[in-house]
Amino acid sequence: YRTHAQGIPLCEPMYYEYDCEDAYKAKNQYLFGSQLLVCPITAPAHKQLNLAKTDVWLPEGRWTDIFTGRIYQGNQWVTMHRDLDSIPVLAREGAIVPVYRNSDNNDLSLDQPLDIHIWRGNGSFDLYEDDGETNDCRYTITRFSIREGEGSLIFSIRPAAGNPEILPEIRSMR
């Protein structure tokens, strides 16, 4: 939806959002959507350890490795090691990433249950959903937001805007 409405690609090089020397040096990594930073590993794995490594540039702020849960402070380069089954993917502070709970198939119907992954911080995410059947521009946008306060997190879901009648009456979210 962001690509259609604002011309923002799904995957963008780091220097699209961060105009600094380090962003231009971070050649293998990219921003995926508005919430995630991805850094594929293109180096061979160490033969004895069976791990490959890459240097990742983290912009200012707090970044969380979504697979390990490790938290990094930004404005630095860090070396990350992975086996063949994973790559570094980091969520910016305040990131919100909704995913279909039953992701083992391609069912994109609107009654699918959602798992909403959140990371500490302040942020928001607009979930765009359309009816998936027509070209009538029947869609909804649901705003999720998170606010970090003194020892607390407040997560909010605003009512769907647009054509909320396309959504099921009851939907499972966790």
Side-chain angles (χ1 to χ4, degrees), residues 120-164:
R120 289 180 34 225
N122 298 307
S124 64
F125 181 80
D126 291 334
L127 175 63
Y128 169 88
E129 300 175 284
D130 63 38
D131 66 5
E133 297 176 13
T134 68
N135 292 324
D136 295 338
C137 294
R138 292 172 36 106
Y139 66 91
T140 66
I141 296 178
T142 305
R143 163 71 52 108
F144 300 110
S145 62
I146 185 168
R147 192 175 77 229
E148 183 176 23
E150 302 260 339
S152 68
L153 286 174
I154 299 171
F155 178 71
S156 304
I157 303 173
R158 301 214 24 110
N163 302 98

Side-chain angles (χ1 to χ4, degrees), residues 111 164-172:
D111 60 350
E165 68 275 2
I166 68 171
L167 294 173
E169 275 189 47
I170 299 174
R171 186 179 214 181
S172 173

Side-chain angles (χ1 to χ4, degrees), residues 60-122:
E60 191 71 40
R62 185 174 57 220
W63 295 86
T64 303
D65 186 315
I66 70 169
F67 297 118
T68 68
R70 184 168 179 184
I71 298 172
Y72 298 88
Q73 289 305 313
N75 199 28
Q76 67 173 326
W77 286 87
V78 295
T79 299
M80 296 188 179
H81 296 83
R82 293 292 191 276
D83 62 17
L84 290 175
D85 293 329
S86 76
I87 63 173
V89 178
L90 296 108
R92 65 176 74 231
E93 63 183 283
I96 301 168
V97 179
V99 296
Y100 286 121
R101 188 171 309 150
N102 304 320
S103 61
D104 56 346
N105 62 41
N106 284 333
D107 182 2
L108 300 177
S109 58
L110 296 178
D111 60 350
Q112 291 294 313
L114 287 177
D115 284 344
I116 304 168
H117 300 268
I118 60 173
W119 286 269
R120 289 180 34 225
N122 298 307

